[in-house]
Amino acid sequence: MCGIIGYLGNHEAAPFLVEALKRLEYRGYDSAGIATVQDGHLDRRRAVGKLVNLSDELVHAPLAGKSGIGHTRWATHGSPTAVNAHPHRVGKVAVVHNGIIENFRELRAELAEAGLVPETETDTETVAMLTAQYVAEGLSPQEAVARTLPRLEGAFALLFLFDGEDDLMIAARKGSPLAIGHGTGENYVGSDALALAPLTDRITYLEEGDWAVVTRESVTIYDAAGQIANRPVKQVTLDNARVDKAGHRHFMAKEIAEQPQVLGEALRFYLGEAGDRITLPGDGIDFTKLERLTLVACGTAYYACLTAKYWFEQIARMPVEVDVASEFRYREPPVTPGTMALFVSQSGETADTLAALRYCRDKAETVVSVVNVAESSIARESDLALPILAGTEIGVASTKAFSCQLTVLLLLAIEAGRQRGTLDADRLADLLSALRGLPSVIGRAIDDGATAEALSLQLAEAQDVLFLGRGLMYPLALEGALKMKEISYIHAEAYASGELKHGPIALIDKHVPVVVMAPRDALFDKTVSNMQEVMARGGQVLLISDHAGITAAQDGIWRSIEMPQVDPVLSPILYAIPAQLIAYHTAVAKGTDVDQPRNLAKSVTVE
Ligand code: F6R
C-alpha cells in the first residue's frame, strides 16, 4: 500500500527522501510527496503519478531542510490527484499515512462543527486537522499526537512533522508496519527496513499501538497506554540490490531469471549440503500431533496454498482446508485444537492474512507462516516462520516468491508424509533427489523461453484467454490467468479442465486462445479429451506439456511449449515458468507497465 519515509539528519533531506521513496514505490505509485522543515518553516511538494514526477517538480521548486517526511500513495480514499497526495498539511502539522482511518467521517463531522472544512477527499487529512486543532489549542506536538491517536479507528502507520520544529518527527503504528532506523546523530522512519537500507541496518520495529518521538539524538517509544516501551534494536541484513535490474528490461524479467538461484538457496537451507533430509528451523513441526491443516493467503500466495492442498492430501494424507484470507476472517470458521494454521505471504504484511492469523492465534494447535520478509508482522506473530529465501521481489506481479513458496510448501508436505508414515523411504529419496535437480531444470525452462516470447505477439491481440488445468495444474492455471490479467490487462479465466463443459465452454470460439497446462501424468488423457472439446469448437489451444505429452496430443493444437520432464509432483513449480513468461512477454508486446501495473500495489496493508 502506501510507503512512508522520514529523515532527521545533518544533510539535505529531500534527496534522501526521494531515494528512499524509490525503494518504497512498489507499495503504491498513484502520487508522491515530501515535506521538510527549514529554519522552522514547514513546506511541501507533491505530484500525481510516478515518483519521477515529484523529482521533476523538485528540480523546478527545490525544498531545503534537514528534516522531512515522504510518501508514495496507493489511493484508498479520494482519487489520485495532487490535492489528495500526501503529505497533508493543516496549520502547523504535516502528516503522511499508510492505512485507513475508518471513523474519518465522524471525525470530519465533529471538526465541521468547529468550522473546520477539509480541502481533500482523504481520510488522512482528518488526522492532520485533528492534531492541528489540538496544537492550535496550545498543546505541544507530542501532547497533540497523544490526544489524536486514541481517537482514530482503523489501521494506520502515521508520521508527523511540525512547523517550528526542526528536530522532531512523531511516528505511530496500529495495524500497518513502521520501523525506526538508528543512525549517528541522525534517525529515520520507514514503512520497512528496506526503505532504510542505504541509511542504517540498526532497526527497531514498532509494536501494535506504539508511537515514537524521534529527534536527531533520541528515539523514545511509548506503548498504547502512554508508558515508555523498551523495544529492541535489531541488526537487520539489508538488501541493497533491490533497485537494480541487473541488465534486465524489467524487475519481473530479472526475478523470473533469478529462480534457479533462489530455489537453490531455499533448498540448501531446508535440505543442507547433503540434501538427504529436511530440517525445519527452530523446534520444527510435529505433524503426528496434527489432525488437519488450514491454509490461508491472498492472490498468488493463495494459489500456492491451493497447490499445497493437493500435496498434503496426496503425500501426507492430511485433511486440508484452504481459503482466501478476506473470506476466512469474516466467516469465523471453527478452528479445532488439532489444527495447524498456515499463512503464506511474500510481504508478510498483507492485512487480511495478518487478521486471519490473529483470528487463529488462540484457537489453532500451532500457527506457522511461510514468508519472504523475515521481519514482517506475519513472521513475527507466528509460532514458527519458515523463510522462502526468494530475496527482495520488486515486480508487483509475484514470480520468484511463488516458486519459492511452492518449494517450501512441498518440502513441508514431504516432511509431513515422512513423519506420518505415508511416504516410504524410496519415494522420499526420489522426491528429494528430484527437488535437488529442480533448479537446473527450471534454468532450462527459462533458457527455452523463446517460444513464449514468439507466441506473445498473437496473445497480445486476444480479448480473452482461458487457462485449463487438472489436478496439480488447476491451481497453476489460476495463477497463469492472474499473471495474464494483472500485467497485460487481458481478460483471463482459469478452469479445472473437467469443469469446462459445465458452462465455460460457451465462451470458446476461434478468437479465444486456450492455454492447457498438462504434463504427461496420470491425468493427461482426461485433459486431452477436454482439449479436443475445445478444438472441436474452434478454440486455439496452446499446449504446455513435456515431449511425451506434445507428441501424444499434437493433432489440431495451435501451438505448444515443450517443458523438461520432471516428477509429476514437482510439475507446478516447473510449469510456473511458462505461465510467468507468457504473461510477461504478452505484457511487453502490449506495452503495459510490467513492473507497476495500473491500480495495483505490491504490499496490500489495507483490507
Ligand atoms: C500477484 C500478487 C498478489 C499477491 C497478494 C498477496 O502477482 O503478487 O496476488 O500474491 O497480494 O501478497 P503477499 O504474498 O505479500 O501476502
Side-chain angles (χ1 to χ4, degrees), residues 90-391:
V90 179
K92 288 182 173 300
V93 180
V95 67
V96 289
H97 169 216
N98 171 28
I100 293 176
I101 307 298
E102 286 171 358
N103 61 334
F104 83 101
R105 286 186 189 81
E106 292 88 315
L107 294 172
R108 258 191 191 185
E110 178 191 315
L111 290 159
E113 279 174 23
L116 299 169
V117 182
E119 284 176 4
T120 79
E121 302 162 289
T122 67
D123 51 339
T124 309
E125 190 192 11
T126 321
V127 180
M129 290 169 81
L130 206 55
T131 313
Q133 193 194 26
Y134 293 140
V135 170
E137 284 169 14
L139 297 190
S140 69
Q142 187 168 331
E143 290 164 340
V145 172
R147 178 87 72 90
T148 301
L149 295 177
R151 308 221 44 213
L152 307 178
E153 288 168 19
F156 52 79
L158 291 164
L159 187 56
F160 297 87
L161 200 65
F162 300 89
D163 192 64
E165 302 282 349
D166 274 292
D167 191 20
L168 178 69
M169 289 188 294
I170 301 183
R173 177 210 161 134
K174 186 181 150 209
S176 301
L178 208 52
I180 311 273
H182 304 269
T184 308
E186 300 196 338
N187 284 311
Y188 328 101
V189 177
S191 293
D192 59 31
L194 289 161
L196 307 175
L199 301 169
T200 184
D201 58 358
R202 291 171 52 236
I203 303 288
T204 299
Y205 292 95
L206 294 187
E207 303 279 331
E208 275 302 279
D210 281 358
W211 58 287
V213 176
V214 183
T215 69
R216 285 181 179 78
E217 294 294 342
S218 68
V219 176
T220 312
I221 300 177
Y222 299 88
D223 64 17
Q227 302 299 315
I228 291 192
N230 276 322
R231 306 293 180 216
V233 179
K234 295 192 175 177
Q235 194 84 24
V236 175
T237 314
L238 299 163
D239 182 355
N240 276 307
R242 67 170 299 182
V243 285
D244 176 15
K245 291 184 194 150
H248 291 272
R249 189 166 164 194
H250 299 101
F251 281 109
M252 185 177 175
K254 175 189 173 215
E255 288 157 8
I256 291 173
E258 278 172 352
Q259 287 175 103
Q261 178 208 333
V262 292
L263 281 179
E265 277 160 26
L267 287 167
R268 257 190 307 283
F269 179 84
Y270 288 98
L271 296 179
E273 285 305 326
D276 54 357
R277 62 192 293 259
I278 297 168
T279 308
L280 301 180
D283 295 335
I285 300 169
D286 184 351
F287 283 99
T288 61
K289 280 206 321 217
L290 299 173
E291 284 159 21
R292 57 187 303 112
L293 290 180
T294 294
L295 307 185
V296 183
C298 299
T300 287
Y302 167 68
Y303 297 139
C305 290
L306 268 187
T307 313
K309 176 179 168 71
Y310 289 76
W311 282 330
F312 276 106
E313 287 176 354
Q314 288 168 6
I315 300 171
R317 308 303 303 151
M318 292 184 77
V320 180
E321 180 205 18
V322 187
D323 210 342
V324 286
S326 52
E327 289 301 312
F328 178 85
R329 58 181 293 201
Y330 290 114
R331 232 177 56 231
E332 299 188 4
V335 177
T336 48
T339 302
M340 174 168 110
L342 182 68
F343 300 88
V344 180
S345 175
Q346 187 282 128
S347 63
E349 300 293 351
T350 300
D352 283 316
T353 311
L354 182 58
L357 182 152
R358 288 179 179 156
Y359 171 78
C360 290
R361 262 254 59 102
D362 305 321
K363 303 180 183 71
E365 184 78 33
T366 180
V367 169
V368 176
S369 59
V370 171
V371 287
N372 198 26
V373 181
E375 289 294 341
S376 59
S377 304
I378 288 176
R380 286 185 289 130
E381 294 191 28
S382 307
D383 297 324
L384 177 67
L386 300 171
I388 61 167
L389 303 157

Side-chain angles (χ1 to χ4, degrees), residues 297-302 344-350 353 378 393 395-399 401 405 479 482-483 486 601-604:
C298 299
T300 287
Y302 167 68
V344 180
S345 175
Q346 187 282 128
S347 63
E349 300 293 351
T350 300
T353 311
I378 288 176
E393 193 179 66
V396 163
S398 190
T399 51
Q405 285 163 351
E479 168 62 3
L482 175 62
K483 287 284 95 85
E486 69 181 326
K602 181 92 186 141
S603 180
V604 186

